[in-house]
Coordinates of all heavy atoms in Angstrom, one line a residue:
M1 N 11.6 -14.1 20.6 CA 12.4 -13.1 20.0 C 13.7 -13.0 20.7 O 13.8 -13.2 21.9 CB 11.7 -11.7 20.1 CG 10.3 -11.7 19.5 SD 10.0 -10.1 18.9 CE 10.1 -10.4 17.2
E2 N 14.7 -12.5 20.0 CA 16.0 -12.4 20.6 C 16.2 -11.1 21.5 O 15.5 -10.1 21.2 CB 17.1 -12.4 19.5 CG 17.0 -11.1 18.6 CD 18.1 -11.1 17.6 OE1 19.2 -11.3 17.9 OE2 17.7 -10.9 16.4
N3 N 17.0 -11.2 22.5 CA 17.3 -10.1 23.3 C 18.5 -9.4 22.7 O 19.5 -9.9 22.5 CB 17.6 -10.5 24.7 CG 17.8 -9.4 25.7 OD1 18.0 -8.2 25.3 ND2 17.7 -9.6 27.0
V4 N 18.3 -8.1 22.2 CA 19.3 -7.4 21.5 C 20.2 -6.6 22.4 O 21.3 -6.2 22.0 CB 18.7 -6.5 20.4 CG1 18.1 -7.3 19.4 CG2 17.8 -5.5 21.0
L5 N 19.8 -6.3 23.6 CA 20.6 -5.5 24.5 C 20.7 -6.3 25.8 O 19.8 -6.5 26.6 CB 20.0 -4.2 24.9 CG 19.8 -3.2 23.7 CD1 19.1 -2.0 24.1 CD2 21.2 -2.8 23.1
H6 N 21.9 -6.8 26.1 CA 22.2 -7.5 27.3 C 21.8 -6.7 28.6 O 22.2 -5.5 28.7 CB 23.6 -8.0 27.4 CG 24.0 -8.9 26.2 ND1 23.4 -10.2 26.1 CD2 24.7 -8.7 25.2 CE1 23.9 -10.7 25.0 NE2 24.7 -9.8 24.4
G7 N 21.1 -7.2 29.5 CA 20.7 -6.5 30.6 C 19.4 -5.7 30.5 O 18.9 -5.1 31.4
C8 N 18.9 -5.6 29.3 CA 17.6 -4.9 29.0 C 16.6 -5.9 28.6 O 16.3 -6.0 27.4 CB 17.8 -3.8 28.0 SG 18.9 -2.5 28.5
K9 N 16.0 -6.6 29.5 CA 15.1 -7.7 29.1 C 13.9 -7.3 28.3 O 13.3 -8.1 27.6 CB 14.7 -8.5 30.4 CG 15.9 -9.1 31.1 CD 15.4 -9.7 32.4 CE 16.6 -10.2 33.2 NZ 16.3 -10.8 34.5
D10 N 13.4 -6.1 28.5 CA 12.2 -5.7 27.8 C 12.4 -5.2 26.4 O 11.4 -5.1 25.7 CB 11.5 -4.6 28.6 CG 11.1 -5.0 30.0 OD1 10.9 -6.2 30.2 OD2 10.9 -4.1 30.9
V11 N 13.6 -5.0 25.9 CA 13.9 -4.5 24.6 C 14.0 -5.7 23.6 O 14.8 -6.6 23.8 CB 15.1 -3.7 24.5 CG1 15.4 -3.2 23.1 CG2 15.0 -2.5 25.4
R12 N 13.1 -5.7 22.6 CA 13.1 -6.8 21.6 C 13.1 -6.1 20.2 O 12.6 -5.0 20.0 CB 11.9 -7.6 21.7 CG 11.7 -8.3 23.0 CD 12.7 -9.5 23.1 NE 12.5 -10.2 24.3 CZ 13.3 -10.2 25.4 NH1 14.3 -9.4 25.4 NH2 13.1 -10.9 26.5
V13 N 13.7 -6.8 19.2 CA 13.6 -6.4 17.9 C 12.2 -6.6 17.3 O 11.7 -7.8 17.4 CB 14.7 -7.1 17.0 CG1 14.5 -6.7 15.5 CG2 16.1 -6.8 17.5
L14 N 11.6 -5.6 16.8 CA 10.2 -5.7 16.3 C 10.2 -5.8 14.8 O 11.0 -5.1 14.2 CB 9.4 -4.5 16.8 CG 9.4 -4.3 18.3 CD1 8.7 -3.0 18.7 CD2 8.7 -5.5 19.0
H15 N 9.3 -6.6 14.3 CA 9.1 -6.7 12.8 C 7.6 -6.6 12.5 O 6.8 -6.8 13.3 CB 9.6 -8.1 12.3 CG 11.1 -8.2 12.4 ND1 12.0 -7.8 11.4 CD2 11.9 -8.8 13.4 CE1 13.2 -8.1 11.8 NE2 13.2 -8.6 13.0
F16 N 7.4 -6.2 11.2 CA 6.0 -6.1 10.8 C 5.4 -7.5 10.7 O 6.0 -8.4 10.2 CB 5.9 -5.5 9.4 CG 6.2 -4.0 9.4 CD1 7.4 -3.5 8.8 CD2 5.3 -3.1 9.9 CE1 7.7 -2.2 8.8 CE2 5.6 -1.7 9.9 CZ 6.8 -1.3 9.3
P17 N 4.2 -7.7 11.3 CA 3.6 -9.0 11.1 C 3.2 -9.2 9.6 O 3.0 -8.2 8.9 CB 2.4 -9.0 12.0 CG 2.1 -7.5 12.2 CD 3.4 -6.8 12.0
L18 N 3.1 -10.4 9.2 CA 2.7 -10.7 7.8 C 1.2 -10.5 7.8 O 0.4 -11.3 8.3 CB 3.0 -12.1 7.4 CG 4.5 -12.4 7.4 CD1 4.7 -13.9 7.1 CD2 5.3 -11.6 6.4
A19 N 0.8 -9.4 7.2 CA -0.7 -9.0 7.2 C -0.9 -8.1 6.1 O 0.0 -7.4 5.5 CB -1.1 -8.4 8.5
D20 N -2.2 -8.0 5.7 CA -2.7 -7.0 4.7 C -3.3 -5.9 5.5 O -4.2 -6.0 6.3 CB -3.7 -7.7 3.8 CG -4.3 -6.7 2.8 OD1 -3.8 -5.6 2.7 OD2 -5.2 -7.1 2.0
Y21 N -2.7 -4.7 5.4 CA -3.1 -3.5 6.1 C -4.2 -2.7 5.4 O -4.6 -1.7 5.9 CB -1.9 -2.7 6.5 CG -1.0 -3.4 7.4 CD1 0.2 -4.0 6.9 CD2 -1.2 -3.4 8.7 CE1 1.1 -4.6 7.7 CE2 -0.3 -4.1 9.6 CZ 0.8 -4.7 9.0 OH 1.7 -5.3 9.9
S22 N -4.6 -3.1 4.2 CA -5.5 -2.2 3.4 C -6.8 -2.0 4.1 O -7.4 -0.9 4.1 CB -5.7 -2.8 2.0 OG -6.3 -4.1 2.1
A23 N -7.4 -3.0 4.8 CA -8.7 -2.8 5.5 C -8.5 -1.8 6.6 O -9.4 -1.0 6.9 CB -9.2 -4.1 6.0
L24 N -7.4 -1.9 7.4 CA -7.1 -1.0 8.4 C -7.0 0.5 7.9 O -7.6 1.4 8.5 CB -5.9 -1.4 9.2 CG -5.4 -0.5 10.3 CD1 -6.5 -0.6 11.5 CD2 -4.1 -0.9 10.8
I25 N -6.3 0.6 6.8 CA -6.1 2.0 6.2 C -7.5 2.5 5.8 O -7.8 3.7 5.9 CB -5.1 2.0 5.1 CG1 -3.7 1.5 5.6 CG2 -5.0 3.3 4.4 CD1 -3.2 2.4 6.7
D26 N -8.3 1.6 5.2 CA -9.6 2.0 4.7 C -10.4 2.6 5.9 O -11.1 3.6 5.8 CB -10.4 0.9 4.1 CG -9.8 0.5 2.7 OD1 -9.1 1.3 2.1 OD2 -10.2 -0.6 2.3
D27 N -10.4 1.9 7.1 CA -11.1 2.3 8.3 C -10.6 3.6 8.8 O -11.3 4.5 9.2 CB -11.0 1.2 9.4 CG -11.9 0.0 9.1 OD1 -12.7 0.1 8.2 OD2 -11.6 -1.0 9.7
Y28 N -9.3 3.8 8.8 CA -8.6 5.0 9.3 C -9.0 6.2 8.4 O -9.2 7.3 8.9 CB -7.1 4.9 9.3 CG -6.6 4.2 10.6 CD1 -7.3 3.4 11.4 CD2 -5.2 4.3 10.9 CE1 -6.8 2.7 12.5 CE2 -4.7 3.7 12.0 CZ -5.5 2.9 12.8 OH -5.0 2.3 13.9
E29 N -9.2 5.9 7.1 CA -9.5 7.0 6.2 C -10.9 7.6 6.5 O -11.1 8.7 6.2 CB -9.5 6.4 4.8 CG -9.3 7.4 3.7 CD -8.9 6.7 2.4 OE1 -9.4 5.7 2.1 OE2 -8.0 7.3 1.7
K30 N -11.8 6.8 7.0 CA -13.1 7.2 7.4 C -13.3 7.7 8.8 O -14.3 8.1 9.2 CB -14.1 6.0 7.1 CG -14.1 5.5 5.7 CD -14.9 4.2 5.5 CE -14.6 3.6 4.2 NZ -14.6 2.2 4.2
G31 N -12.2 7.6 9.5 CA -12.2 7.9 10.9 C -11.9 9.4 11.2 O -11.6 10.1 10.2
P32 N -11.8 9.8 12.5 CA -11.5 11.2 12.8 C -10.0 11.5 13.0 O -9.2 10.5 13.1 CB -12.2 11.3 14.1 CG -12.1 10.0 14.8 CD -12.2 9.0 13.6
F33 N -9.7 12.7 13.0 CA -8.5 13.3 13.4 C -7.2 12.6 12.7 O -7.2 12.6 11.5 CB -8.4 13.2 14.9 CG -9.6 13.7 15.6 CD1 -10.4 12.8 16.4 CD2 -10.0 15.0 15.5 CE1 -11.5 13.3 17.0 CE2 -11.2 15.5 16.1 CZ -11.9 14.6 16.9
E34 N -6.3 12.2 13.5 CA -5.0 11.7 13.0 C -5.1 10.4 12.2 O -4.2 10.1 11.4 CB -4.0 11.6 14.1 CG -3.5 12.9 14.7 CD -3.0 13.9 13.6 OE1 -2.2 13.5 12.8 OE2 -3.5 15.0 13.6
G35 N -6.2 9.7 12.4 CA -6.4 8.5 11.6 C -6.5 8.8 10.1 O -5.9 8.1 9.3
R36 N -7.2 9.9 9.8 CA -7.3 10.3 8.4 C -5.9 10.7 7.9 O -5.6 10.5 6.8 CB -8.2 11.5 8.3 CG -9.7 11.1 8.5 CD -10.6 12.3 8.3 NE -12.0 11.8 8.5 CZ -13.0 12.2 7.8 NH1 -12.8 13.0 6.8 NH2 -14.2 11.8 8.1
N37 N -5.1 11.4 8.7 CA -3.8 11.8 8.3 C -2.9 10.6 8.1 O -2.1 10.6 7.1 CB -3.1 12.8 9.3 CG -3.8 14.1 9.3 OD1 -4.4 14.5 8.4 ND2 -3.8 14.8 10.5
L38 N -3.0 9.6 8.9 CA -2.2 8.4 8.8 C -2.6 7.7 7.5 O -1.8 7.2 6.7 CB -2.5 7.5 10.0 CG -1.7 6.1 9.9 CD1 -0.2 6.3 9.9 CD2 -2.1 5.3 11.1
A39 N -3.9 7.6 7.2 CA -4.4 7.0 6.0 C -3.9 7.8 4.7 O -3.5 7.2 3.7 CB -5.9 6.9 6.0
A40 N -3.9 9.1 4.8 CA -3.4 9.9 3.7 C -2.0 9.6 3.4 O -1.5 9.5 2.3 CB -3.7 11.4 4.0
G41 N -1.2 9.5 4.5 CA 0.2 9.2 4.4 C 0.4 7.8 3.8 O 1.3 7.6 2.9
A42 N -0.4 6.9 4.2 CA -0.3 5.5 3.6 C -0.6 5.5 2.2 O 0.1 4.8 1.4 CB -1.2 4.6 4.4
R43 N -1.6 6.3 1.8 CA -2.0 6.3 0.3 C -0.9 7.0 -0.5 O -0.6 6.6 -1.6 CB -3.3 7.1 0.2 CG -4.5 6.5 0.8 CD -4.9 5.2 0.2 NE -6.1 4.8 0.9 CZ -6.4 3.5 1.1 NH1 -5.6 2.6 0.6 NH2 -7.5 3.2 1.7
L44 N -0.2 8.0 0.1 CA 0.9 8.7 -0.6 C 2.0 7.7 -0.7 O 2.7 7.7 -1.8 CB 1.3 10.0 0.1 CG 2.5 10.7 -0.4 CD1 2.2 11.2 -1.8 CD2 2.8 11.9 0.5
Y45 N 2.4 7.0 0.3 CA 3.5 6.1 0.3 C 3.2 5.0 -0.8 O 4.1 4.6 -1.5 CB 3.6 5.4 1.7 CG 4.8 4.5 1.8 CD1 6.1 4.9 1.5 CD2 4.6 3.2 2.4 CE1 7.2 4.1 1.7 CE2 5.7 2.4 2.5 CZ 7.0 2.8 2.2 OH 8.0 2.0 2.4
E46 N 2.0 4.5 -0.8 CA 1.6 3.5 -1.8 C 1.8 4.0 -3.2 O 2.3 3.3 -4.1 CB 0.1 3.1 -1.6 CG -0.4 2.0 -2.6 CD -1.8 1.7 -2.3 OE1 -2.7 2.6 -2.1 OE2 -2.1 0.5 -2.4
K47 N 1.4 5.3 -3.4 CA 1.5 5.9 -4.7 C 3.0 6.0 -5.1 O 3.4 5.8 -6.2 CB 0.9 7.3 -4.7 CG 1.0 8.1 -6.0 CD 0.3 9.4 -5.9 CE 0.4 10.1 -7.3 NZ 0.4 11.6 -7.2
M48 N 3.8 6.4 -4.1 CA 5.3 6.6 -4.4 C 5.9 5.2 -4.8 O 6.7 5.1 -5.7 CB 5.9 7.1 -3.1 CG 5.6 8.5 -2.8 SD 6.2 9.1 -1.2 CE 8.0 9.1 -1.6
I49 N 5.4 4.1 -4.1 CA 5.9 2.8 -4.4 C 5.5 2.4 -5.8 O 6.3 2.0 -6.6 CB 5.4 1.8 -3.4 CG1 6.1 2.0 -2.0 CG2 5.7 0.4 -3.9 CD1 5.4 1.3 -0.9
N50 N 4.2 2.6 -6.2 CA 3.7 2.2 -7.5 C 4.4 3.0 -8.6 O 4.5 2.5 -9.7 CB 2.2 2.4 -7.5 CG 1.5 1.4 -6.6 OD1 2.1 0.3 -6.3 ND2 0.3 1.7 -6.2
E51 N 4.7 4.3 -8.3 CA 5.3 5.1 -9.4 C 6.9 5.0 -9.4 O 7.5 5.7 -10.1 CB 4.9 6.6 -9.2 CG 3.4 6.8 -9.5 CD 3.0 8.2 -9.3 OE1 3.8 9.1 -8.9 OE2 1.7 8.4 -9.5
R52 N 7.4 4.1 -8.5 CA 8.8 3.9 -8.4 C 9.6 5.1 -8.1 O 10.7 5.3 -8.6 CB 9.3 3.2 -9.7 CG 8.7 1.9 -10.0 CD 9.2 1.2 -11.2 NE 9.0 -0.2 -11.1 CZ 9.9 -1.1 -10.7 NH1 11.0 -0.8 -10.4 NH2 9.6 -2.4 -10.7
D53 N 9.1 6.0 -7.2 CA 9.8 7.1 -6.8 C 10.9 6.7 -5.8 O 10.9 5.6 -5.3 CB 8.8 8.1 -6.0 CG 7.8 8.7 -6.8 OD1 8.0 8.8 -8.0 OD2 6.7 9.1 -6.3
T54 N 11.9 7.6 -5.7 CA 12.9 7.3 -4.7 C 12.4 7.6 -3.3 O 11.9 8.8 -3.1 CB 14.2 8.2 -5.0 OG1 14.7 7.9 -6.3 CG2 15.3 7.9 -4.0
I55 N 12.4 6.7 -2.4 CA 11.8 6.9 -1.1 C 13.0 7.0 0.0 O 13.8 6.1 0.1 CB 10.9 5.7 -0.8 CG1 9.8 5.7 -1.8 CG2 10.4 5.8 0.7 CD1 8.8 4.5 -1.7
W56 N 12.9 8.1 0.6 CA 13.9 8.4 1.7 C 13.2 8.1 3.1 O 12.0 8.4 3.3 CB 14.3 9.8 1.7 CG 15.2 10.3 0.7 CD1 14.9 10.3 -0.7 CD2 16.5 10.7 0.8 NE1 16.0 10.8 -1.4 CE2 17.0 11.0 -0.5 CE3 17.4 10.9 1.9 CZ2 18.3 11.5 -0.7 CZ3 18.7 11.3 1.7 CH2 19.1 11.6 0.4
L57 N 13.9 7.5 4.0 CA 13.5 7.2 5.3 C 14.3 8.0 6.3 O 15.5 7.8 6.3 CB 13.5 5.7 5.7 CG 13.2 5.3 7.1 CD1 11.8 5.7 7.4 CD2 13.5 3.9 7.4
G58 N 13.7 9.0 7.0 CA 14.5 9.7 8.0 C 14.2 9.1 9.4 O 13.1 8.9 9.8
V59 N 15.3 8.8 10.0 CA 15.2 8.1 11.3 C 16.0 9.0 12.4 O 17.2 9.2 12.2 CB 15.8 6.7 11.3 CG1 15.7 6.0 12.6 CG2 15.2 5.9 10.2
A60 N 15.3 9.5 13.4 CA 15.9 10.3 14.4 C 15.6 9.6 15.8 O 14.6 8.9 16.0 CB 15.3 11.7 14.4
G61 N 16.5 9.9 16.7 CA 16.3 9.3 18.0 C 16.9 7.9 18.1 O 17.4 7.4 17.1
A62 N 16.7 7.3 19.2 CA 17.3 5.9 19.4 C 16.3 4.8 19.0 O 16.1 3.9 19.8 CB 17.8 5.8 20.8
L63 N 15.7 4.9 17.8 CA 14.7 3.9 17.4 C 15.4 2.5 17.3 O 14.8 1.5 17.7 CB 14.0 4.3 16.2 CG 13.1 5.5 16.2 CD1 12.6 5.8 14.9 CD2 12.0 5.3 17.2
V64 N 16.5 2.4 16.7 CA 17.1 1.1 16.4 C 17.5 0.4 17.7 O 17.1 -0.8 17.9 CB 18.4 1.3 15.5 CG1 19.2 -0.1 15.4 CG2 18.0 1.7 14.1
V65 N 18.2 1.1 18.6 CA 18.5 0.5 19.9 C 17.3 0.2 20.8 O 17.4 -0.6 21.7 CB 19.6 1.3 20.6 CG1 20.9 1.3 19.8 CG2 19.1 2.7 21.0
G66 N 16.2 0.9 20.5 CA 15.0 0.7 21.2 C 14.2 -0.5 20.7 O 13.1 -0.7 21.2
G67 N 14.7 -1.1 19.6 CA 14.0 -2.3 19.1 C 13.3 -2.1 17.8 O 12.8 -3.1 17.2
F68 N 13.2 -0.9 17.3 CA 12.5 -0.7 16.0 C 13.4 -0.9 14.8 O 12.9 -0.7 13.7 CB 12.0 0.8 16.0 CG 10.7 0.9 16.8 CD1 10.7 0.6 18.1 CD2 9.6 1.5 16.2 CE1 9.5 0.7 18.9 CE2 8.4 1.6 17.0 CZ 8.4 1.2 18.3
G69 N 14.6 -1.3 15.0 CA 15.5 -1.6 13.8 C 14.9 -2.7 12.9 O 15.1 -2.7 11.7
G70 N 14.2 -3.6 13.5 CA 13.5 -4.7 12.7 C 12.6 -4.1 11.7 O 12.5 -4.7 10.6
Y71 N 11.9 -3.1 12.0 CA 11.0 -2.4 11.1 C 11.8 -1.9 9.9 O 11.4 -2.0 8.7 CB 10.2 -1.3 11.7 CG 9.1 -1.8 12.7 CD1 9.0 -1.1 13.9 CD2 8.3 -2.8 12.5 CE1 8.1 -1.5 14.9 CE2 7.4 -3.2 13.4 CZ 7.3 -2.5 14.6 OH 6.3 -2.9 15.6
I72 N 12.9 -1.2 10.2 CA 13.7 -0.7 9.1 C 14.3 -1.8 8.3 O 14.3 -1.7 7.0 CB 14.8 0.2 9.8 CG1 14.2 1.4 10.5 CG2 15.8 0.7 8.7 CD1 15.2 2.1 11.4
I73 N 14.7 -2.9 8.9 CA 15.2 -4.0 8.1 C 14.1 -4.6 7.2 O 14.4 -4.9 6.0 CB 15.7 -5.1 9.0 CG1 17.0 -4.6 9.7 CG2 16.0 -6.4 8.3 CD1 17.4 -5.5 10.9
D74 N 12.9 -4.7 7.7 CA 11.8 -5.2 6.9 C 11.6 -4.3 5.7 O 11.4 -4.8 4.6 CB 10.5 -5.3 7.7 CG 10.5 -6.3 8.8 OD1 11.4 -7.2 8.7 OD2 9.7 -6.3 9.7
L75 N 11.6 -3.0 5.9 CA 11.3 -2.1 4.8 C 12.5 -2.2 3.7 O 12.2 -2.2 2.5 CB 11.3 -0.6 5.3 CG 10.0 -0.3 6.1 CD1 10.2 1.1 6.8 CD2 8.8 -0.3 5.3
M76 N 13.7 -2.3 4.2 CA 14.8 -2.5 3.3 C 14.8 -3.8 2.5 O 14.9 -3.8 1.3 CB 16.1 -2.4 4.1 CG 16.4 -1.0 4.6 SD 17.8 -0.9 5.8 CE 19.0 -2.0 5.1
E77 N 14.5 -4.9 3.2 CA 14.4 -6.2 2.5 C 13.3 -6.3 1.5 O 13.4 -7.0 0.5 CB 14.3 -7.3 3.6 CG 15.6 -7.5 4.4 CD 15.4 -8.6 5.4 OE1 14.3 -9.0 5.8 OE2 16.5 -9.0 5.9
K78 N 12.2 -5.6 1.7 CA 11.1 -5.6 0.8 C 11.3 -4.6 -0.3 O 10.4 -4.5 -1.2 CB 9.8 -5.4 1.5 CG 9.4 -6.5 2.4 CD 8.2 -6.2 3.2 CE 7.6 -7.3 4.0 NZ 8.4 -8.0 4.9
G79 N 12.4 -3.8 -0.3 CA 12.6 -2.8 -1.3 C 11.7 -1.6 -1.2 O 11.5 -0.9 -2.2
L80 N 11.2 -1.3 0.0 CA 10.3 -0.2 0.2 C 10.9 1.1 0.6 O 10.3 2.1 0.8 CB 9.2 -0.6 1.2 CG 8.4 -1.8 0.7 CD1 7.4 -2.2 1.8 CD2 7.6 -1.5 -0.6
V81 N 12.3 1.1 0.8 CA 13.0 2.2 1.1 C 14.3 2.2 0.3 O 14.9 1.2 0.1 CB 13.4 2.2 2.6 CG1 14.4 3.3 3.0 CG2 12.2 2.3 3.5
D82 N 14.6 3.4 -0.3 CA 15.8 3.5 -1.2 C 17.0 4.1 -0.4 O 18.1 3.8 -0.7 CB 15.5 4.3 -2.4 CG 14.4 3.7 -3.2 OD1 14.6 2.5 -3.6 OD2 13.3 4.3 -3.4
V83 N 16.7 5.1 0.4 CA 17.8 5.8 1.1 C 17.4 6.0 2.6 O 16.2 6.3 2.9 CB 17.9 7.2 0.5 CG1 19.0 8.0 1.1 CG2 18.2 7.1 -1.0
I84 N 18.4 5.9 3.4 CA 18.1 6.1 4.9 C 19.0 7.3 5.3 O 20.2 7.3 5.1 CB 18.4 4.9 5.7 CG1 17.5 3.7 5.3 CG2 18.3 5.2 7.2 CD1 17.8 2.4 6.0
C85 N 18.4 8.2 6.0 CA 19.1 9.4 6.6 C 18.9 9.3 8.1 O 17.8 9.3 8.5 CB 18.6 10.7 6.0 SG 19.5 12.1 6.7
S86 N 20.0 9.1 8.8 CA 19.8 8.8 10.2 C 20.7 9.7 11.1 O 21.7 10.2 10.6 CB 20.3 7.3 10.5 OG 20.3 7.0 11.8
T87 N 20.3 9.9 12.3 CA 21.1 10.6 13.3 C 22.1 9.6 13.8 O 22.0 8.4 13.6 CB 20.2 11.2 14.4 OG1 19.7 10.0 15.1 CG2 19.2 12.1 13.9
G88 N 23.1 10.2 14.5 CA 24.1 9.3 15.1 C 23.6 8.4 16.2 O 24.3 7.5 16.6
A89 N 22.4 8.7 16.7 CA 21.9 7.8 17.8 C 21.6 6.4 17.3 O 21.5 5.5 18.2 CB 20.6 8.4 18.3
Q90 N 21.6 6.2 16.0 CA 21.3 4.8 15.5 C 22.5 3.9 15.5 O 22.3 2.7 15.3 CB 20.7 4.9 14.1 CG 19.5 5.9 14.0 CD 18.4 5.5 15.0 OE1 18.1 4.4 15.3 NE2 17.8 6.6 15.6
V91 N 23.7 4.5 15.6 CA 24.9 3.6 15.4 C 25.6 3.4 16.7 O 25.4 4.0 17.7 CB 25.9 4.2 14.4 CG1 25.3 4.1 13.0 CG2 26.3 5.6 14.7

């Protein structure tokens, strides 16, 4: 992976691996606590995608410079996000 910040050897751009997450979400749905909430969120997101809703992504904090920008790029390239609302920490 490429080093995105010179002098910060541990920071890398992260991307979603090519995988099917449906089995993981099924397991979380049957699990306790926040796993169920995560699964409910995933099901809602899937419904929004299938119904062609406008999907907003809110990004706060320094996620992009921390290496999570790759996740945002992946969502954009796959057409899974329509609008991004970000704090100034991202630029």
Side-chain angles (χ1 to χ4, degrees):
M1 303 208 110
E2 66 178 308
N3 186 341
V4 295
L5 297 176
H6 300 291
C8 295
K9 297 177 183 175
D10 294 338
V11 177
R12 299 285 184 256
V13 176
L14 304 173
H15 292 273
F16 289 109
L18 299 175
D20 179 4
Y21 296 98
S22 59
L24 179 65
I25 298 302
D26 290 343
D27 287 346
Y28 278 17
E29 201 164 40
K30 298 170 194 145
F33 313 115
E34 290 307 309
R36 286 182 185 221
N37 291 333
L38 180 62
R43 299 291 184 216
L44 176 60
Y45 185 53
E46 179 180 43
K47 180 180 178 204
M48 292 172 69
I49 292 167
N50 291 337
E51 293 180 0
R52 299 181 157 263
D53 292 339
T54 299
I55 298 175
W56 286 68
L57 173 64
V59 182
L63 293 177
V64 171
V65 297
F68 281 54
Y71 292 136
I72 297 169
I73 291 168
D74 291 345
L75 292 170
M76 291 169 42
E77 287 179 344
K78 290 176 173 52
L80 300 175
V81 171
D82 299 302
V83 181
I84 297 175
C85 181
S86 173
T87 64
Q90 305 308 319
V91 293

